[in-house]
Amino acid sequence: GLNQSIAAARAGGTVSHAGKIGGDGTVLTDILRESGVDTDFVTVGDGPSGHAVIQVDPSGQNCILLFGGCNQEITHEEIDRVLARFQAGDYLILQNEINGLDHLMTQAARRGLRIVFNPSPIDESISRLPLGEGILNTLRQRWPRCRLLLTLGSHGCVYDDGQRRLRQGIYQVGTVDTTAAGDTFTGYFVACMAAGRPEEECLDLASRAAAIAVSRPGAAPSIPTMDEVQHCTLRRGE
């Protein structure tokens, strides 16, 4: 979630981050604030912060081991207090790294928030959430009003809003580290949608941002600013 918030902020969005860290997690809120993210809704729990062990192979591909920590200690009361500060039309970006997602989705929908769910990391709990199963066509049948965005790594992405299906290829770069590529894409896409940009432009800018991110080492440090994205020269993949 941290990387997605940073990406949305660097894309020009007005972003508040909610969650829970341990006493060891002040470096995380520092990184968020340095990127222009409001951290007023980040609380401190009793245990250690959630964290990841990231392994990167010589080709730049990653394997990530996760420890839930305080990410798994969020209460319904904490969720309700945060949601009370937002209103219909606001975008809520979620990922599968915290507990209480079923309550969070239900209450956010009742308030009219626009829910963006990035089902990462994938695990068996996904099947218990109020979502469809399968990929685009099955999801479309079960949830005809959802807007669906399927990222396909080196094959780009597909966006389906129920009326049309848009495809976006990748931009070819030298891959250094794929960590945070998906987070960068998601943060940029949502920030651009919230700014009222056309879907085609949102997909293109998000793809550009992700391409820049994978050409650099690290997670949060690799996420580009909107100025970089708009002025970079990139070559489309085949």
Side-chain angles (χ1 to χ4, degrees), residues 164-183:
R164 56 179 181 161
R165 188 166 288 187
L166 304 174
R167 298 183 181 274
Q168 171 72 37
I170 65 167
Y171 284 93
Q172 196 68 47
V173 296
T175 301
V176 174
D177 184 352
T178 57
T179 309
D183 293 334

Side-chain angles (χ1 to χ4, degrees), residues 134-149:
I135 304 180
L136 290 175
N137 291 333
T138 301
L139 285 169
R140 174 60 55 222
Q141 292 171 7
R142 184 166 181 180
W143 300 100
R145 296 177 60 188
C146 281
R147 288 182 284 180
L148 306 171
L149 178 54

Side-chain angles (χ1 to χ4, degrees), residues 18-20 41 43 73-87 92 94 98-111 113:
K20 184 178 287 188
F41 302 108
T43 59
E73 299 176 4
I74 298 170
T75 68
H76 288 187
E77 290 74 21
E78 289 171 327
I79 288 171
D80 293 341
R81 282 198 298 270
V82 172
L83 291 179
R85 299 289 296 274
F86 295 90
Q87 58 190 3
L92 172 64
L94 303 173
I98 61 173
N99 66 302
L101 280 174
D102 50 353
H103 177 78
L104 180 47
M105 287 181 171
T106 300
Q107 296 304 315
R110 287 176 178 171
R111 291 180 174 275
L113 274 68

